[in-house]
Amino acid sequence: MKMNGARILLECLKLEGVDTVFGYPGGTVINLYDELFSFKEIRHILPRHEQAGVHAADGFARATGKVGVAIATSGPGATNTITGIATAYMDSIPMVIITGQVPTALIGNDAFQEADIIGITRPCTKHNFLVKDVKDLATIVKKAFYIARTGRPGPVLIDLPKDVQIAQTEFKYPDTVEIRGYKPTVEGHPKQIEKAVSMMLHAKKPVIYVGGGVVLGDAGAELTELAERFGFPVTTTLMGLGSFPENNPLSLGLLGMHGTYYANMAISNCDLLIAVAARFDDRVTGKIATFAPHAKIIHIDVDPTSIKKNVRVDLPIVGDVREVLGKMLKVSEEQGDDVKQVKEAVGPWIAEIDGWKAKHPVTYQPSSTIIKPQYVIQRLRALSEPDAIVATDVGQHQMWTAQFFGFTKPRTLLSSGGLGTMGYGLPAAMGAQAGFPDRQVIVVVGDGGFQMNMQELATLVQNRLNVKIVILNNNFLGMVRQWQELFFDKRYSSTCMELPIDFVKLAEAFGATGLRADKTDQVDEVIKQGFATAGPVLMEFKVAREEKVLPMVPAGASLTEMVLAS
Amino acid sequence: MRHTIAVLVENEFGVLSRVVGLFSGRGFNIDSLTVAPTNDESLSRITVVTRGDEQIIEQITKQLNKLIDVIKVIDFEPENAIEREMALIKVSAEDDHRAEVLRVADIFRAKVIDVTPKSYTLEATGAPSKVDALLELLRPLGLKEVVRTGPVVIGRGAKGWRG
Ligand SMILES: Cc1ncc(C[n+]2csc(CCOP(=O)(O)OP(=O)(O)O)c2C)c(N)n1
Ligand SMILES: [Mg+2]
C-alpha cells in the first residue's frame, strides 16, 4: 500500500513493538504529528522539554529493556535532545531518536530551524541516519532499531526531513537487515572461556567486578549462579547495582570513589579480578597504576574497544555477557569437584573480607532530630514495594541511594552513571512509570537537580504517571559543596542555593500532592502517606545540610586511600 | 610507532567525518590521510598514517572497526606492505641552481612538470622516506611550495583485499 513517510515511520514503530513514545511537536514534524493524531496503537506522551522527553525514553528503556523512542522537531527541538542522547550513549541505553529536519532542498541553507543534528550527534550516538528518500525510510528504521539494541546497545538518531514525511511510496517493512560493517560478536571464544574457568579454579583471592552490561544484557541470573557456585565475592559499579542481590552474603556492594571499604580493599588485594561487562571508568579505578595491583584480570565485554582501554587485561573475552556467563557455567559444571575445592580454598579470603566488613561497614551518624539523608533512603527501602523502581538524579543523594537502598533486582535502579546528568532523575522515572503503570516508581532527587527538569510535574499529572518524588533538600549543590569542603577549604563558591523554595506549594501548583518532613520522626509518616496517596506525590525532606558521602576516594587517588565515615 | 592503516568504508556521505571525528574526539594523531573510491564503487578506501604505542594503535583499530560504516581495517606491517606517495614540488631554479635541481630530480626519478625562468615544478613518487630525502636535498636550493598526497599502502603478495 502507498503511504506517506510519516505514516510509514509509525507503521515501522508499531512493527518494532513500540507502544509508547515521548515527543514534542514543531514545524518539521507537524506532518508526523498529524498522522499520530489518528494512530491509536502508539501512546504519545508530551513532556515539557525535549531533554526530558529523551530522558523519559531512556528511563523507559532501562526499566523495560525495550528500545526507548523520542521525537523532536528540527533546530532547537533537536538540540534540546543532546544531553539526553549523550546520557544514554555513555550508559549504552538502546534508543531511537527521531528528529524533524528542514526539507531536503533547504538543507545547508541556514533555513529556519535548521541544525546539523547529524553532525552534532555524531560523537554521542551509536549511529545516525539522514533519510533523503522516502523509499529508504523503512529500511533505515529497521537498521536503527537493530543497531540500537544489539551488540553494545546505544542511541541511534534518525533525521527525517519534512518533505520525506510528506512523500509517498509503497510500504514494505523488511524482515531482516544486513549491515556489512556491523557484526557484533555474540559468542565468546570457547578456548578463552575454558581458560577463564581454569584461572578461576586456581584463584585464592578472587573478586567479580560487575558493570552495567550485566543489567543491560539481562545476565543477572547467570552471574549470581556463577558467583554462588564458586563462592566468589561480587562488587558492582553504580550501573551494575541490582544485577547481584545486595543481601547476598557474597555482595560487597559498590566499589570505587564512593564504594565500600571492603569492596575497595578486596579489589586492592585480590589475585584474580573478573570484570564482567564493566569498563574500568576512572570513578571506579581511582589511580590506574595501583588498581588491582596483584591481580590477573579477566575481562568479559561485548565491546572490544572496552577491553584494554584503561587497564591491562590478561584474558579478554569478547561476547554477549549472558552467552559467555552461560558457557562458563557449562564448562564449570563438568569440573564439579575442582569447583568445590576452590570454593573451600577461598574460605580464608572470604574471612578476610568479612573482617573488613566488620571493621568498616557502610554507616553514618544517626540523629533523632535532624533528618539524615541516609536514613530517608533506608526508610524508603523498608516502606517501598519489593519490586519498586528507583530513579535518581546526580549528586550526593544519588550516592546515598546507591549505598543505602540495597538493590536486589536488575532494572530497578535508573541513574545517569557515565555522563552524570543532573536533571535526569525525574523524567527517567516518568518514562519507567509509563512502561510499568502498576509498579511503584520512586525518584530520589536533590534540590538542585530537581530544578533542572521540574517542569515535568505537569507531564506526570497530565498523564497520570504516579511517580513518587523524594527530594533530599540540603539547599546546597551538595556534591560540589562536599568537594569544596574537602579540597577547597570550605569556600562554597556558588553551591548554596540561598533561595528557599516551597516545594510543597510547587507540587500543588501543578496539581500534584506535596508533603514535607523537617524532623526525623516525621520521615516514616511522610513516606507512608506519600506511597498511600494516589497520583504523583512530591515528598520534601529537609535533610542535614552539610552531610558528606563517605567513604570517599579522592579523585586520582588509590582505592586504598579512602576517607572513611567515623 | 608510526602505523599506516587502511580503512575500507561504505562510499556514503558523512563517513569521512565519522572517521576523522573519531581521531579528533579521542585525541589520536593523524599524520596524513587520503581517501578515494575503490574498484568496488560502493566502497571507499581511506589510508591514514598515525602514531602511538601498541595500546593506542589497538584502540584506534578497534574504534575504527566499531564504526558502523567501516567494513575492514588493516594495520599494515611495514615489512609486508608497499607505501607510496606523490609530491608536487615547486623549487626555485636560477643561475647555477638550475642544473643542480635537475641533477637531484634525476637521481630521484622526479619529473619536471612545469618550467619557468625562475623555477621548476617537480613530480616525485615513492616511499615517504624517499620524498623526505628529495626534499632535504632541494631545501637548500629554495623550496617555494610542497604538496604531498600522503601515502597509500598495499599489501605485498598475490592476495588482494576486495575493493
Ligand atoms: C547538568 C549538570 N550540571 C552540573 C553538574 C555538576 N554537579 C554534580 S553533582 C552537583 C550538585 C547536585 O546538587 P543537588 O541536585 O542538590 O544534589 P545533592 O548533591 O545536594 O544531593 C552538581 C552541580 C552535573 N552533574 N550535571
Ligand atoms: Mg542539594
Side-chain angles (χ1 to χ4, degrees):
Chain A
M1 202 173 79
K2 264 202 158 161
M3 293 178 192
N4 67 23
R7 180 64 188 262
I8 288 175
L9 174 66
L10 295 179
E11 295 289 346
C12 294
L13 294 182
K14 188 176 101 183
L15 290 170
E16 286 295 332
V18 175
D19 54 13
T20 308
V21 301
F22 303 85
Y24 210 100
T28 59
V29 284
I30 198 163
N31 303 85
L32 176 59
Y33 274 83
D34 190 58
E35 287 295 332
L36 205 47
F37 194 61
S38 49
F39 200 87
K40 293 303 169 211
E41 291 98 324
I42 291 180
R43 178 185 191 197
H44 180 272
I45 294 175
L46 176 75
R48 266 40 177 184
H49 190 294
E50 289 90 349
Q51 182 195 347
V54 180
H55 287 326
D58 169 316
F60 177 92
R62 291 190 207 224
T64 63
K66 297 187 220 165
V67 178
V69 179
I71 300 172
T73 194
S74 65
T79 54
N80 268 350
T81 66
I82 301 300
T83 302
I85 296 173
T87 301
Y89 183 64
M90 286 292 271
D91 290 343
S92 309
I93 306 306
M95 299 220 289
V96 170
I97 298 97
I98 296 145
T99 48
Q101 183 53 280
V102 301
T104 40
L106 291 182
I107 291 179
N109 284 15
D110 298 327
F112 177 63
Q113 295 196 328
E114 178 181 1
D116 174 13
I117 203 64
I118 293 292
I120 293 171
T121 59
R122 202 167 282 134
C124 64
T125 51
K126 185 168 171 185
H127 197 58
N128 57 21
F129 295 94
L130 169 64
V131 189
K132 286 179 164 168
D133 185 336
V134 70
K135 293 196 187 72
D136 302 332
L137 177 57
T139 308
I140 285 177
V141 176
K142 182 87 192 172
K143 283 185 185 173
F145 275 85
Y146 174 63
I147 292 170
R149 71 167 158 253
T150 53
R152 178 177 182 173
V156 178
L157 182 136
I158 301 174
D159 200 22
L160 191 58
K162 186 177 169 86
D163 55 320
V164 178
Q165 295 167 41
I166 297 168
Q168 304 242 345
T169 192
E170 204 64 41
F171 172 60
K172 192 182 170 304
Y173 202 52
D175 297 327
T176 54
V177 276
E178 161 72 20
I179 306 170
R180 57 182 167 174
Y182 179 68
K183 304 264 184 295
T185 310
V186 175
E187 288 173 40
H189 196 287
K191 281 264 155 21
Q192 299 287 88
I193 289 174
E194 274 171 35
K195 261 194 218 154
V197 172
S198 138
M199 282 166 82
M200 288 170 74
L201 290 174
H202 291 94
K204 298 212 162 50
K205 299 181 167 193
V207 173
I208 303 177
Y209 146 51
V210 173
V214 174
V215 176
L216 296 170
D218 293 316
E222 287 78 3
L223 170 81
T224 306
E225 195 179 334
L226 193 72
E228 287 189 326
R229 181 178 297 173
F230 281 80
F232 286 4
V234 177
T235 176
T236 70
T237 65
L238 176 69
M239 304 314 297
L241 282 177
S243 57
F244 188 77
E246 288 196 78
N247 52 8
N248 187 307
L250 290 172
S251 170
L252 305 181
L254 204 63
L255 83 160
M257 180 174 277
H258 293 298
T260 64
Y261 174 76
Y262 35 97
N264 287 343
M265 289 303 283
I267 292 280
S268 304
N269 289 283
C270 67
D271 67 357
L272 178 68
L273 184 69
I274 305 153
V276 188
R279 60 185 179 86
F280 297 87
D281 181 88
D282 53 279
R283 284 290 186 266
V284 159
T285 60
K287 187 172 167 186
I288 284 281
T290 53
F291 179 77
H294 315 294
K296 289 239 180 292
I297 298 179
I298 300 173
H299 190 177
I300 304 166
D301 207 290
V302 72
D303 179 1
T305 68
S306 285
I307 291 171
K308 294 192 210 166
K309 186 173 62 182
N310 302 337
V311 298
R312 76 205 146 75
V313 170
D314 298 285
L315 183 77
I317 304 178
V318 177
D320 174 77
V321 60
R322 190 160 148 197
E323 190 91 11
V324 171
L325 291 178
K327 286 203 181 125
M328 287 170 79
L329 282 170
K330 226 182 231 136
V331 171
S332 61
E333 228 159 63
E334 293 149 19
Q335 289 160 326
D337 287 347
D338 293 348
V339 173
K340 255 184 226 136
Q341 260 171 28
V342 72
K343 203 168 173 175
E344 262 166 47
V346 299
W349 170 237
I350 299 291
E352 194 175 353
I353 290 174
D354 286 343
W356 289 324
K357 280 189 180 177
K359 194 165 150 207
H360 292 293
V362 179
T363 185
Y364 65 98
Q365 195 69 49
S367 159
S368 58
T369 51
I370 187 153
I371 302 174
K372 286 301 183 96
Q374 300 93 331
Y375 175 72
V376 178
I377 304 298
Q378 288 178 324
R379 296 315 297 158
L380 278 175
R381 166 79 293 181
L383 298 170
S384 59
E385 288 163 16
D387 71 341
I389 295 169
V390 180
T392 77
D393 211 74
V394 170
Q396 292 184 306
H397 62 278
Q398 175 189 34
M399 292 301 132
W400 286 318
T401 307
Q403 292 177 329
F404 290 92
F405 192 81
F407 290 91
T408 55
K409 294 188 171 71
R411 299 191 182 280
T412 54
L413 170 64
L414 320 176
S415 198
S416 167
L419 200 64
T421 308
M422 281 174 73
Y424 170 80
L426 180 62
M430 179 167 103
Q433 189 79 77
F436 291 108
D438 301 325
R439 263 168 83 177
Q440 193 173 49
V441 178
I442 303 164
V443 54
V444 180
V445 60
D447 50 302
F450 179 72
Q451 291 179 62
M452 284 204 176
N453 266 321
M454 62 184 171
Q455 77 285 346
E456 297 310 317
L457 279 170
T459 316
L460 295 181
V461 174
Q462 178 180 323
N463 295 283
R464 297 193 187 82
L465 298 168
N466 301 327
V467 173
K468 308 302 174 193
I469 302 162
V470 173
I471 301 185
L472 297 185
N473 186 1
N474 48 18
N475 211 31
F476 267 123
L477 297 174
M479 187 54 100
V480 183
R481 186 209 61 75
Q482 172 169 341
W483 283 51
Q484 290 170 335
E485 177 185 335
L486 292 172
F487 314 119
F488 293 89
D489 213 11
K490 291 202 177 184
R491 289 153 56 83
Y492 293 162
S493 179
S494 296
T495 44
C496 180
M497 303 300 265
E498 291 177 23
L499 180 78
I501 292 176
D502 190 333
F503 287 110
V504 172
K505 270 198 190 147
L506 181 83
E508 285 164 359
F510 281 95
T513 305
L515 303 169
R516 177 182 296 124
D518 302 284
K519 298 216 164 54
T520 302
D521 59 10
Q522 300 165 342
V523 168
D524 270 27
E525 202 182 300
V526 164
I527 295 176
K528 280 183 195 158
Q529 197 186 333
F531 286 166
T533 305
V537 179
L538 183 156
M539 296 169 250
E540 180 195 3
F541 298 87
K542 297 237 179 194
V543 297
R545 293 196 64 205
E546 301 198 26
E547 191 72 12
K548 283 195 289 290
V549 180
L550 295 173
M552 177 174 192
V553 179
S558 303
L559 289 189
T560 46
E561 299 172 53
M562 281 169 274
V563 182
L564 295 163
S566 46
Chain B
M1 253 283 274
R2 177 183 179 279
H3 281 245
T4 309
I5 298 173
V7 193
L8 277 178
V9 299
E10 296 285 354
N11 188 5
E12 273 173 21
F13 89 115
V15 177
L16 185 60
S17 62
R18 289 185 204 278
V19 171
V20 173
L22 173 72
F23 277 78
S24 61
R26 293 190 178 269
F28 301 143
N29 287 307
I30 298 182
D31 283 1
S32 77
L33 183 141
T34 71
V35 54
T38 67
N39 55 325
D40 174 345
E41 65 187 43
S42 71
L43 295 175
S44 288
R45 179 152 165 165
I46 297 171
T47 310
V48 54
V49 177
T50 184
R51 53 188 72 239
D53 59 25
E54 201 185 320
Q55 188 250 344
I56 289 177
I57 299 297
E58 184 176 332
Q59 265 300 308
I60 291 175
T61 55
K62 283 173 167 179
Q63 293 284 357
L64 283 167
N65 264 312
K66 190 168 155 180
L67 293 176
I68 309 279
D69 288 330
V70 168
I71 290 148
K72 190 163 200 73
V73 179
I74 316 151
D75 175 16
F76 278 101
E77 312 259 345
E79 57 277 19
N80 297 327
I82 304 163
E83 265 185 61
R84 289 294 179 269
E85 82 171 314
M86 182 169 83
L88 302 179
I89 306 159
K90 196 169 285 184
V91 57
S92 49
E94 291 183 69
D95 311 327
D96 48 337
H97 277 174
R98 283 185 85 79
E100 179 64 5
V101 170
L102 288 182
R103 219 172 56 81
V104 172
D106 195 44
I107 295 169
F108 285 85
R109 299 208 179 107
K111 273 194 286 186
V112 177
I113 55 173
D114 189 37
V115 192
T116 74
K118 292 180 170 177
S119 70
Y120 285 120
T121 301
L122 308 178
E123 173 195 317
T125 53
S129 55
K130 176 180 151 184
V131 175
D132 289 343
L134 169 61
L135 289 172
E136 254 350 281
L137 289 176
L138 293 176
R139 194 178 308 279
L141 305 174
L143 288 176
K144 286 167 166 287
E145 188 177 349
V146 177
V147 189
R148 300 175 71 155
T149 57
V152 291
V153 64
I154 197 162
R156 291 187 185 276
K159 187 166 180 277
W161 299 106
R162 205 170 65 88

